[in-house]
Amino acid sequence: MAGETVITVVGNLTADPELRYTQNGLPVANFTIASTPRTFDRQANEWKDGDPLFLRASVWRDFAEHVAGSLTKGMRVVATGRLRQRSYQDREGQNRTAIELEVDEIGPSLRYATAQVTRAASGGGNFGGGGGQQRPQQVQQAEEPWATPGSAAPDAWSAPGSYGDDTPF
């Protein structure tokens, strides 16, 4: 959308995502991403940490439940989203401003780790979230971008040992 500030942040979660529910039952997960820049000091011949950025972030609906069930404290994540500014009064009556990240996409960084991705069981995929209806397995397979159209049998790429070790060219 025009005029929005979209950023991508790479950092570590400072705590497990906190999953809560609004009065209407809408799930929301809040968490903080700590991102610390590193620079190489040529004189000292070593890497030095810069000042860390602690960025509060939030996700809503089914997305919130997926994040809370998948990510934990200390995980390195890659998050992209829109910066939001929020004004409020603290307990002493002082006016404050907070900058927060409304996350559009987030996942574990695979630079220093591996991950096993599992499709969520809920209908998801719609912006209203929480469709709650499960699609039949047959429909799910047909919509997979890597599925072989019109074939229930495994394709040649997924059959181990069907090709020799020789280079085909």
Side-chain angles (χ1 to χ4, degrees):
M1 187 178 283
E4 291 188 311
T5 305
V6 178
I7 66 167
T8 299
V9 178
V10 178
N12 295 68
L13 296 184
T14 61
D16 289 345
E18 182 180 346
L19 182 62
R20 293 185 178 196
Y21 294 87
T22 65
Q23 291 178 349
N24 296 334
L26 195 65
V28 58
N30 296 299
F31 51 93
T32 301
I33 301 171
S35 180
T36 306
R38 299 196 81 201
T39 56
F40 188 75
D41 182 348
R42 291 181 188 217
Q43 292 178 354
N45 199 31
E46 64 184 9
W47 288 94
K48 302 243 178 171
D49 287 339
D51 294 328
L53 167 70
F54 293 92
L55 187 59
R56 282 298 283 168
S58 62
V59 293
W60 293 84
R61 297 181 175 79
D62 286 348
F63 193 10
E65 292 175 335
H66 299 167
V67 166
S70 303
L71 303 177
T72 57
K73 176 182 179 177
M75 272 188 171
R76 183 175 175 89
V77 296
V78 178
T80 186
R82 292 161 279 134
L83 285 180
R84 296 283 185 222
Q85 180 173 309
R86 182 173 55 89
S87 298
Y88 64 97
Q89 280 190 346
D90 65 13
R91 293 182 181 140
E92 290 79 35
Q94 299 289 324
N95 290 330
R96 302 283 183 189
T97 301
I99 304 291
E100 298 172 339
L101 180 66
E102 190 173 306
V103 176
D104 292 324
E105 297 288 339
I106 188 169
S109 169
L110 301 181
R111 179 172 291 237
Y112 306 113
T114 61
Q116 180 65 43
V117 178
T118 306
R119 180 178 294 272
S122 67
N126 57 2
F127 289 105
Q133 297 177 341
Q134 297 214 359
R135 298 184 295 169
Q137 184 67 22
Q138 209 172 28
V139 174
Q140 284 181 348
Q141 286 176 348
E143 292 179 6
E144 295 291 345
W146 52 85
T148 304
S151 169
D155 62 62
W157 292 104
S158 65
S162 60
Y163 294 100
D165 290 334
D166 297 333
T167 305
F169 48 86

